[in-house]
Each structure stands twice: as structure tokens, then as C-alpha cells.
Amino acid sequence: MTAEQYLDALSSLTGTWQEDPQFSVPQKPVKKDETPPPPVTRAWRVKSDPLTRAMGRPNREQVTSRRQSVATALEAVEMTNGQTLATLLERGATNLAASPDISAPDLVSSLYLHALQRAATDREREIGVGIIGAPPGAEGIADLLWAISMLPEFQLIY
Amino acid sequence: MRRTWNRRDFLKTASAATLSAMAAGFPRRAGAESTEKLHATADTLIVLWMAGGMAHTETFDPKRYTPFEVGLNPDRVLSTFPAIDTVVDNIKISEGLENIATVMDRATLIRTYKAADLGFILHSRHQYHWHTGYEPPLSVAAPHIGSMIARTLGPLNPDVPAFIDIGQGFDNGEGEELKAFHTAGFLGSEYGPFFVPNPEEAQASVQPPKGMNQERFKARYKAYEQLVKESPVGDAMSGYQKDSLLRSMENAHRLLTSPAAKAFDLSLEPKEIYDRYNTGRFGLGCLLARRLTEAGARFIEVTTEYIPFKYWDTHEDGHTRQVELKKMIDAPIAQLVLDLEERGLLDRTLIVLASEFSRDMLTEGKPGAPVKNQVEVPPIINELKHYGMHRHFTDAGSVLMFGGGMKKGYLYGVTADERPCGAIEKPIDTTDLHATMYRAMGIPADLAYEIEKRPFYVTKDGLGKPDMDLFA
């Protein structure tokens, strides 16, 4: 995945989007009594940060005709301990943890379905529940989100 | 302290991306078979970047000193500090650099660096040129010289990132422009800089994210490994990219937990030595550079940081600010040289202190190629804020080198004693300066990588010529 695809996928998974967009996009008109939907800011609209740069997002002043398709050690370091991703995952996990009355196994199943378009196996569900704790806590959810988003199955497009 | 890493260790630990890219992957070297094999005089290159334009007549090339007085004619002012002796008889430098003066016998001092003519002077364009060897704008994402070196030579110690950049933040006024050259460009981010914006927090670069303790960090990685193993689609998606991702994750985790990571922890330095470096962020950056050199880094840049109108970018109060700037760099640089020498590392470590251009009281650009003035200089100076080198001067500049096979106690080039204090003997431009640096690292100036079916040379169009007069 490109940097932007990765971030958008995580945002879609957690319901927490990028902040501080640099470009406006036309908004769907909202009816008089309707509540406007929460803003959805895709990654292409925000400035590059250490995470996107490590993932190969080029500087916009230069024409770049391709991006690398192999992972790099620097990218992996940034994704392993970089604050940008950690903060994004924390926000996402807090959002998910606020969902009312969802059990740990159901949350793991839901994340696998949404992230990988398949059901978690029994063993994966067991590992996932072990990470997030019962009832699910924000820290554990952040760790599971991280683990799922680092899987080759998530990151590589086939 | 270990300084040799054998091939077996390197192959075991380097990521698949590194190995494939270096051996046969993208981007390929162009014309590799004909590339001359050169004997390197340095294994590590440290660039000490004086961002913003370091005035040569106020630092390493002092001219006639004119003290401040009300009613001063600016045309009389070439240096606002007197010169001091160094341990080398024929080399004087500016007051405020007394510590560096004591190690000048280990130095080669180039006084005749000439920046390119890029029209109206913008720092980021000259910095781009200095750091990539190419004048912007380009149709190719040009790599930083650190990335070129990382790609060509690989890491010295596989546990230490090959290219480390210390001290530059990107949240300032020209942050977006700075990003343009702080990149591996078309070489791919495997060779990009490992950023350490604040050396005091360098340890955080190799630790779990804030709020996560080591126990949770390790447990998270263990759970990840389990999920990878349990994935039912694992074998069905075997492939080069999957292997490179898993290997990169493993290498990242190894880097973060390896003994080499201790190099990032400045708190492990004895207090007495720490205090000698501690003039602020730049000084501690020099300390970090020393520790990383010991640990086996290949290319390190320590910057005083470019922020428009701050630090060396003196558009006013030049004299007053030089006092603080020289205090910031003097002791740490001298200590870095002495410490590397004490550890037997100086001969194989090339240190290069440089800036994108110099400054002058009156000349903007260079004679014969003047550009629009950016600073108003009054006909008579009555206030201290106008006393200093505020305009951007490209006809000379100082570059100070230590170690890495360069001559010792050597003065290269002559500049004029009267305004404009430009290069009059042995000028050297960015292309040849880079050729010299690459040569020290064993890289020929006409080495090229293929991008979009055409060669991209490490020096501009492969035309750089190292000046062998600089080598011992």
C-alpha cells in the first residue's frame, strides 16, 4: 500500500481521520435539519509527516513516477516506535473502546472482517482477545490495531 | 569497541530490501563494470552543517577588524571580530573560536568555496544544491549525499542506520522546502535519513513510543509474530514483498533492542564529557555523532538547524549573534575531533563543516553576478543591529575538514583582503567539493544510478573532480 492508502485504511477501520487538512474539497450539501456527518479527511489532504515520508510519500514539488513497493528498515522503525502512528492508533483505539457493549471476541472478529475482509480463525481470535483484554481496553485495542496493520496480509495489495 | 563488521554478519542482518537493492535490485548502478575501484580514506562521514549562511570573515577567514562605533561607514567593515592565532603558524581564525584554534593542526581549511549562481538567493535552493549536488528544480527526485553514500556503501554496522540526520525540525517556515532534499529520492526510503530532531531525546528514537513500557512493547511484537504465524493465508501469499516486510519488521525490532541502540542514549555519557559538549542542541548533536561513529554509523549530519532569520541566517544583529553562534559550535567541534582522535577513529572519519554560502556587509551574490539586495544597509551605521555581515555572499566561503585522509594543518585557497572578499586562488565549487568527499569514501565522482532509463550521477553529470591536493 502507499502511505496514503495505509492511513486511510486505518482511519476507515477506526473511524478516526487525519487532522488539519491543507486542501478543501466540496462538501455534500446537508439538509436543513440534518446533522452534518463527522469530517472525513483523507491522507492526501494533509502535510507529509515522518510516517508518510518513511513510507515513501515523495515531496510534491518533484515529479515522481513510481514509489517503492518493498518495505524498508527505516519504514519499519517508524511504524514500530514512531509517535505519528502511535498517536493515530491511540485515537482510533479510544474511539473503538467507546463503542458500547461490544465484547472482546466480537471486536476482534469485527476488526478482522473490516481490515482483512475475512473472519478471524479461532486461534487468531484467541490471540486477539489476549491482546485487547476483556473487557476491551484502549491500550490493548491499540496494540491489536498495530499488529493487524503490520500484517503482510493487510499491507500488501494482491 | 568493535569497529569491524564482517560480511557474514551483514548478510544475516541486512534487510531483504537492502540486499536486493544493493546487489541487483532497483535502482541499478549504471556502467558498474567500468567504475574504478578506489581506495577509501574514510569509513564514516560527518557533516557539520552551519545552516543559514556562515560568514567567512567572521569565522575562519578573518579580515581587517573594524570595531563598532556610531557613525561607522559600512564599506570599512570586513570583520567585526579580531583574528586570533591557532596552533598552525600561518592560519588565523576569528575571535570566539579558541577551542577550534587548538585543533587546527588536525584540520584542512578551505577558504575558497564558491556557491552556485542561482539567481535571487533563497536558502533552501542553495541548501538543496549543497546536499544533492544538483541545482533545483529537477525532474528527478535527487537523493541527499547521505543517501547516495548509504546506497553505495551500505551501513558500516547493520544495527545502526546508515544515514542519520540530527537537529533539523520540519515545522518551521521553510519546512516543506527542506523536505525536498532530506530524502533518498529515487533511491528509495531504505536509504533515507533516520531523523533525530533533538539529540537530548535521541534515545526516544530507539525506544517504545511514549506511554508504552518495554514490557508492553515486547508483548506487542510477540503477539504480532503469533498472528503472522497463525495467518491462514500466510503460505499462499509467499513472495518477495511479504518476505521484505517481515524482514524489515524483524530488523526494526532488532535495531530497537540491540546494544548499538545505546549509542543514542546520551545519559550514558560521563557527565564531565557531556558538559564539554553541552552548548545546546548542536553541541549535543556532536556528542551523539561521536557515539554513533563509535557504534558504526556511515553518514551523520549534525545541523545547527535552518529556521528563516535564525541562527546563522543573520539579517540583522550579525555581530551580536555571531558571539552566541561561535560559542555554540566552538567547544563541541574541538571536543569531537579530540575524542575521535583519542579513540583512534579520526583518521577514518571525515568531518566536514560547511554552509550554503557566506555573508558580506554590502555584496549580495558575487561581483559580476549580483542579485537583488535582501537587507537594507544604511549609508552610515549608528546602531549595533546594522553591524555585521547580513547580505548573502557567494564568491567565497569556508569549509573546514578534519580526518578522513585529509591533510593536517593545511590551508587551501586564498581570498581577497579587501571587499569583495572573494576567492582569488584555488576556488572550489560544490561539484568538486562533493567529488572530494565521495573520493574520501571510495566513491568515484562519475558513479551513476539508473533512473527512468537514464544515468543519474553522484556529482553533477559525473563531472566532479576531487582535488587530490587536499589529501594527505
Side-chain angles (χ1 to χ4, degrees), chain B residues 136-157:
Chain B
L138 283 185
S139 60
V140 167
H144 190 292
I145 48 172
S147 297
M148 279 295 195
I149 289 171
R151 169 65 177 89
T152 308
L153 301 177
L156 196 50
N157 175 355

Side-chain angles (χ1 to χ4, degrees), chain A residues 62 65 68 74 80-81 143, chain B residues 189 192 205 207 216 220 452:
Chain A
Q62 293 166 330
S65 56
Q68 69 205 33
L74 288 185
T80 300
N81 80 340
D143 290 350
Chain B
S189 67
S205 309
Q207 278 188 335
R216 182 180 155 203
R220 185 181 76 166
E452 294 170 353

Side-chain angles (χ1 to χ4, degrees), chain B residues 154-175:
Chain B
L156 196 50
N157 175 355
D159 283 353
V160 179
F163 174 10
I164 301 169
D165 194 288
I166 303 169
Q168 181 67 57
F170 295 94
D171 300 324
N172 64 69
E174 289 195 40

Side-chain angles (χ1 to χ4, degrees), chain B residues 26-304:
Chain B
F26 172 84
R28 283 192 305 272
R29 279 201 206 177
E33 293 77 16
S34 61
T35 301
E36 189 193 343
K37 281 232 181 307
L38 296 174
H39 168 69
T41 57
D43 301 316
T44 299
L45 174 54
I46 301 176
V47 170
L48 302 178
W49 183 245
M50 306 291 112
M54 177 186 77
H56 65 298
T57 60
E58 304 279 61
T59 52
F60 297 103
D61 194 2
K63 304 295 179 188
R64 185 183 61 253
Y65 164 53
T66 308
F68 174 77
E69 57 181 349
V70 171
L72 188 55
N73 179 348
D75 202 21
R76 288 182 50 213
V77 182
L78 299 174
S79 289
T80 67
F81 296 88
I84 59 169
D85 289 328
T86 71
V87 293
V88 180
D89 287 341
N90 65 326
I91 301 180
K92 289 185 191 294
I93 61 178
S94 186
E95 182 186 75
L97 297 171
E98 285 76 9
N99 287 292
I100 294 179
T102 65
V103 295
M104 285 304 288
D105 54 346
R106 284 88 157 174
T108 281
L109 173 56
I110 298 172
R111 283 187 165 155
T112 48
Y113 166 72
K114 288 179 78 139
D117 298 317
L118 303 182
F120 179 71
I121 289 178
L122 285 171
H123 290 270
S124 53
R125 298 189 68 220
H126 282 272
Q127 289 170 10
Y128 183 105
H129 183 214
W130 201 100
H131 285 91
T132 65
Y134 285 80
E135 298 172 16
L138 283 185
S139 60
V140 167
H144 190 292
I145 48 172
S147 297
M148 279 295 195
I149 289 171
R151 169 65 177 89
T152 308
L153 301 177
L156 196 50
N157 175 355
D159 283 353
V160 179
F163 174 10
I164 301 169
D165 194 288
I166 303 169
Q168 181 67 57
F170 295 94
D171 300 324
N172 64 69
E174 289 195 40
E176 292 303 306
E177 288 84 345
L178 291 170
K179 287 172 191 171
F181 60 88
H182 281 89
T183 169
F186 70 83
L187 292 175
S189 67
E190 177 80 11
Y191 306 105
F194 183 85
F195 287 110
V196 182
N198 187 348
E200 280 186 285
E201 294 166 8
Q203 196 193 354
S205 309
V206 291
Q207 278 188 335
K210 269 192 209 132
M212 187 182 296
N213 58 28
Q214 279 285 350
E215 200 185 305
R216 182 180 155 203
F217 185 65
K218 287 182 177 150
R220 185 181 76 166
Y221 187 73
K222 189 153 176 278
Y224 164 73
E225 284 185 308
Q226 286 176 316
L227 287 176
V228 169
K229 187 161 158 263
E230 294 298 335
S231 166
V233 302
D235 289 335
M237 57 185 285
S238 289
Y240 169 69
Q241 288 171 324
K242 177 190 137 199
D243 289 340
S244 87
L245 177 60
L246 292 175
R247 186 91 79 107
S248 298
M249 291 300 293
E250 194 188 305
N251 284 338
H253 193 76
R254 210 193 62 255
L255 164 68
L256 298 177
T257 51
S258 80
K262 288 191 171 47
F264 288 88
D265 188 355
L266 296 187
S267 72
L268 297 176
E269 190 70 24
K271 187 173 182 319
E272 192 203 326
I273 311 284
Y274 181 98
D275 288 345
R276 286 190 214 153
Y277 281 94
N278 191 12
T279 58
R281 195 186 50 223
F282 175 78
L284 293 178
C286 290
L287 173 56
L288 181 57
R290 191 214 78 205
R291 292 174 64 85
L292 290 169
T293 303
E294 291 178 79
R298 176 69 80 184
F299 180 98
I300 307 167
E301 178 161 342
V302 188
T303 173
T304 55

Side-chain angles (χ1 to χ4, degrees), chain A residues 134-158:
Chain A
E139 261 188 23
I141 295 174
D143 290 350
L144 180 59
L145 283 172
W146 180 84
I148 290 176
S149 70
M150 294 300 132
L151 292 173
E153 196 184 340
F154 181 82
Q155 291 213 15
L156 300 173
I157 299 172
Y158 287 86

